[in-house]
Amino acid sequence: MTSLGMERVIESFISVAVDVDVAADGDFVVVMVVFIVVGGLVVSPVGLPNNIAKLSVFRPPPAAAAAAASNLPPSIPRVGGAFAFPDEKPGQNYIFNWCLNADGVTPLQKCAYRITKPLDLKVAGLDLPKSSPLKVNSKSERSKVPEAGMTDALSFDTFDEVMQQTKDSLSLSEALYCPEGHAPNTNFGVRVITNVKTGGLVSDLVAYLERMPSRRNEPKSQSVTCYVLGGASEEFAGYAIEEVEEQREDGSREAVSVATVVITGKNPALKRIVAGGGLGGGGV
């Protein structure tokens, strides 16, 4: 086919691909330029210099190509589905999901609630705390949360193994609830990542933790991170202190101490979580 003949073919397809509607005020409105099928290939007009579209050619999935071909003419169906981006909603916030990913937990079910104030409890479908602030006496539980590597009761290898298993289980959970705030009368931040929805645990944690002042409400890693897994067949409690590098606001990097607390069991107790967070905070 000559170049001129090909141009005429292209022009013919383009005239079919442009859908023109007439608005109420009489103005012509171009509604859509859809994909064009030429010889089993789908082509998309990306510009019209010299009244001829430059064509970028790609081969569609067989099913899509067959569906398009079967319906031509009079109309040319759209190839592929439309979707909204970003697809955010309560429980799915991209920035917070990346923050959880940095903590080693990936919410695979796309449902993780960051809870910093009572209103966030309602958004997550949870009850408000019965009393706030809530005082918790956890002295009796402190001896049940050993520090990894400090005694024979808990080695670093055992702690690391249970921690990774807990993170993996939390990642697979149907939903995650993440209360965060300052431990009472301190300036270190605590984030709890848990799958426990019942029993008022999350509400009590929100009432216990103090709300953190922030110039920007963007989530970031906290000094103490508590991984709390409910419904576990075995009980475990322990914490570890480690040093990591963090980037400061001026772009420089500094070494800081952070604490990781792991609590698992069928119904993790509030006092044990508070004890672990207090011990971890005391080490940073």
Side-chain angles (χ1 to χ4, degrees):
M1 180 181 295
T2 65
S3 174
L4 179 60
M6 185 61 181
E7 290 175 357
R8 289 175 178 172
V9 170
I10 294 173
E11 288 176 330
S12 175
F13 273 96
I14 291 174
S15 66
V16 174
V18 179
D19 185 11
V20 179
D21 198 2
V22 180
D25 58 2
D27 291 337
F28 285 92
V29 180
V30 178
V31 178
M32 183 182 298
V33 179
V34 297
F35 292 104
I36 310 163
V37 178
V38 180
L41 298 179
V42 175
V43 296
S44 174
V46 295
L48 294 172
N50 299 323
N51 296 324
I52 300 297
K54 291 182 178 179
L55 302 177
S56 58
V57 182
F58 64 97
R59 191 172 298 276
S70 65
N71 293 328
L72 287 175
S75 63
I76 301 176
R78 175 182 292 180
V79 178
F83 65 95
F85 183 85
D87 184 20
E88 292 188 332
K89 57 186 178 182
Q92 182 172 333
N93 179 280
Y94 291 161
I95 296 178
F96 184 56
N97 284 355
W98 279 113
C99 192
L100 289 179
N101 187 263
D103 288 335
V105 175
T106 301
L108 298 176
Q109 302 303 320
K110 299 182 179 180
C111 188
Y113 296 94
R114 182 186 181 218
I115 303 173
T116 63
K117 55 187 181 296
L119 178 61
D120 295 332
L121 290 168
K122 301 296 290 184
V123 174
L126 301 173
D127 294 330
L128 294 174
K130 296 179 180 179
S131 62
S132 182
L134 179 65
K135 294 184 178 181
V136 180
N137 187 345
S138 62
K139 290 182 179 180
S140 61
E141 293 289 326
R142 294 172 72 90
S143 61
K144 301 175 183 178
V145 189
E147 182 178 356
M150 296 301 291
T151 66
D152 295 336
L154 181 60
S155 67
F156 280 116
D157 289 342
T158 300
F159 180 82
D160 289 343
E161 181 181 356
V162 176
M163 177 182 64
Q164 189 58 54
Q165 292 173 353
T166 302
K167 289 179 178 180
D168 293 342
S169 296
L170 289 172
S171 295
L172 294 169
S173 298
E174 182 178 345
L176 295 175
Y177 306 92
C178 309
E180 62 182 59
H182 279 151
N185 303 315
T186 71
N187 61 354
F188 63 82
V190 178
R191 171 178 292 140
V192 179
I193 305 174
T194 183
N195 64 337
V196 179
K197 182 178 182 179
T198 59
L201 177 64
V202 176
S203 299
D204 287 342
L205 284 167
V206 172
Y208 168 74
L209 295 171
E210 295 178 351
R211 188 170 177 179
M212 292 185 294
S214 178
R215 289 173 296 175
R216 295 173 298 181
N217 197 30
E218 294 181 1
K220 62 179 182 179
S221 296
Q222 301 299 326
S223 300
V224 179
T225 305
C226 300
Y227 302 88
V228 180
L229 178 66
S233 57
E234 295 184 4
E235 286 194 357
F236 177 88
Y239 74 100
I241 308 294
E242 60 181 336
E243 201 170 78
V244 298
E245 274 196 352
E246 285 190 354
Q247 185 171 341
R248 305 174 67 178
E249 292 185 359
D250 60 3
S252 63
R253 305 188 70 85
E254 65 175 347
V256 297
S257 294
V258 297
T260 301
V261 182
V262 179
I263 308 288
T264 70
K266 186 176 181 180
N267 296 298
L270 173 66
K271 289 185 178 181
R272 188 163 297 183
I273 299 170
V274 171
L279 290 167
V284 299

